[in-house]
Amino acid sequence: MTATVTVIGGGYAGITVAKALDDVADVTLVEPRDTFVHNVAALRAVTDPVWVERLFIPYEGLLTRGRIRHDRAARMFGSAVELASGDRVTSDFVVLATGSRHAYPAKLDVDDSVDARAKLWATHEALSRAPRVLLLGAGPVGLEFAGEIKAAWPDKHVTVVDPAPELMPGGFPAEFRAEVHAQLAALGVELLLGTALTEPPPTAPGHTAPFTTTTSAGAELSADIWFACYGAAPNTGYLVPGRRLDVTPELRLPGSDTIFALGDITSVPEMKMARAAQRHAEVAAANIRALIDGQTNLTAYEPAQDAIVLPLGPRGGVSYAPEAGVLGPEATVDIKGELFLDAYLDLLGAEAAR
């Protein structure tokens, strides 16, 4: 009898593991969105509407034998998953890959692709009318968004505020931070570190309306639109709301031989990025294949060292990996200039949306 696998979540980890198991198991991918959303390109889609259509890739070409079910996990009972529709799904293996949520526009907050397109267009229009932009958070999202905005509208004044005293804390060398600072300065981005706002802006994020606010250092900031660029949280409400899931070295839930958890929802000590989620998926798929074949010697996942490819607009950016060192704009554009779109079009069996 063919093994059955239920994959909960159709993001980067979910589509990778579902595709990898499609030839050996009856795979059901449970995902509420009507298309795959290429979130890696979401910030560029806000500043360059050409990317709005590219962001949404149909699921139909992903699986040959398996199926896509548009629903979401509501709760789990052992290895059984109850869906929002009220149906309960049981299978030989369950893969939890529900990812994380983040303040819009780094991640879209509506499931319907028509509504999502309309929201991206509305945000683009609002942003285009705002001469002064305030971004709260100087992590990868805030810095990348600043670069995209300045590339699209060089005359806009962009200010990035973060309470951390330095950019990108963690396993990054001083040379990396120095190159990021240099490129932001060349773009004309104002960077305020070691300070925060005394209270939230008086307007809703993403809406154009002039306002003035004050930092904890006593400085007044005036802007016409603002965005939150922080606050990623795991989508684990169906199991342990607000918490990441501990996993074994084989990426299984502790105490379970058949439930795997991948990507942003796990407590694996590494940066939460699409690249890491796909590496989780590859290991989990290999382990499920081994279990289907009756093997007991499984692969352990090795957390990745801190590494990043950070675009600062279509023609700028900084990258770092321990094996490659710090790479400047030309190399960064070579790596991520098209935001890995072709790789996901290929994985999802879709034609290029250009």
Side-chain angles (χ1 to χ4, degrees):
M1 182 177 293
T2 304
T4 55
V5 179
T6 301
V7 180
I8 306 295
Y12 294 105
I15 62 172
T16 302
V17 74
K19 184 83 165 186
L21 294 172
D22 191 39
D23 65 327
V24 295
D26 286 337
V27 176
T28 299
L29 177 65
V30 178
E31 166 57 46
R33 297 184 188 274
D34 58 346
T35 72
F36 175 79
V37 179
H38 184 32
N39 281 307
V40 168
L43 299 175
R44 187 163 298 173
V46 170
T47 61
D48 180 0
V50 169
W51 279 84
V52 171
E53 288 304 317
R54 296 176 180 178
L55 208 63
F56 303 95
I57 307 174
Y59 281 113
E60 283 73 18
L62 176 67
L63 302 176
T64 301
R65 296 166 23 128
R67 64 182 183 130
I68 312 295
R69 179 164 183 172
H70 295 295
D71 209 330
R72 70 173 72 244
R75 58 188 59 83
M76 289 190 68
F77 303 92
S79 61
V81 182
E82 184 177 303
L83 304 179
S85 62
D87 291 345
R88 186 174 292 193
V89 177
T90 58
S91 55
D92 298 318
F93 300 93
V94 177
V95 180
L96 307 178
T98 43
S100 61
R101 58 190 179 277
H102 195 289
Y104 173 85
K107 290 195 173 180
L108 305 189
D109 52 5
V110 291
D111 291 342
D112 183 84
S113 61
V114 173
D115 293 341
R117 287 178 175 91
K119 185 167 186 175
L120 287 166
W121 272 103
T123 304
H124 173 80
E125 291 299 317
L127 187 53
S128 70
R129 298 193 306 270
R132 301 165 300 176
V133 183
L134 175 62
L135 304 179
L136 302 182
V141 170
L143 300 181
E144 183 173 339
F145 201 13
E148 295 291 346
I149 293 169
K150 291 296 285 187
W153 298 286
D155 293 335
K156 288 190 187 298
H157 185 87
V158 178
T159 302
V160 183
V161 176
D162 197 292
E166 67 175 1
L167 285 177
M168 303 291 292
F172 299 105
E175 181 187 355
F176 172 83
R177 296 188 183 91
E179 179 63 21
V180 174
H181 274 285
Q183 289 193 40
L184 292 173
L187 289 168
V189 174
E190 181 183 16
L191 192 60
L192 300 179
L193 299 178
T195 191
L197 301 188
T198 55
E199 58 184 13
T203 61
H207 294 268
T208 308
F211 66 90
T212 299
T213 186
T214 306
T215 72
S216 56
E220 279 196 350
L221 287 178
S222 295
D224 302 288
I225 196 170
W226 72 280
F227 296 90
C229 300
Y230 61 89
N235 287 321
T236 54
Y238 54 88
L239 197 58
V240 284
R243 288 171 43 201
R244 289 193 166 92
L245 306 178
D246 291 334
V247 290
T248 69
E250 300 79 25
L251 299 177
R252 293 185 284 196
L253 294 189
S256 174
D257 292 332
T258 60
I259 304 176
F260 291 75
L262 315 178
D264 290 2
I265 64 172
T266 71
S267 60
V268 175
E270 62 186 356
M271 296 182 72
K272 303 303 181 186
M273 294 186 170
R275 179 181 63 251
Q278 285 190 273
R279 292 182 63 238
H280 290 196
E282 290 162 2
V283 169
N287 285 338
I288 291 172
R289 294 178 79 99
L291 290 169
I292 290 172
D293 289 340
Q295 301 176 29
T296 57
N297 187 22
L298 303 186
T299 301
Y301 178 77
E302 296 184 9
Q305 294 180 275
D306 284 354
I308 193 169
V309 182
L310 178 65
L312 295 173
R315 295 172 297 279
V318 191
S319 302
Y320 170 75
E323 66 275 14
V326 177
L327 303 175
E330 184 175 343
T332 299
V333 171
D334 284 344
I335 296 168
K336 201 175 179 180
E338 289 299 305
L339 302 174
F340 305 134
L341 176 63
D342 286 345
Y344 293 107
L345 289 169
D346 182 63
L347 181 63
L348 285 147
E351 294 184 0
R354 297 192 186 278

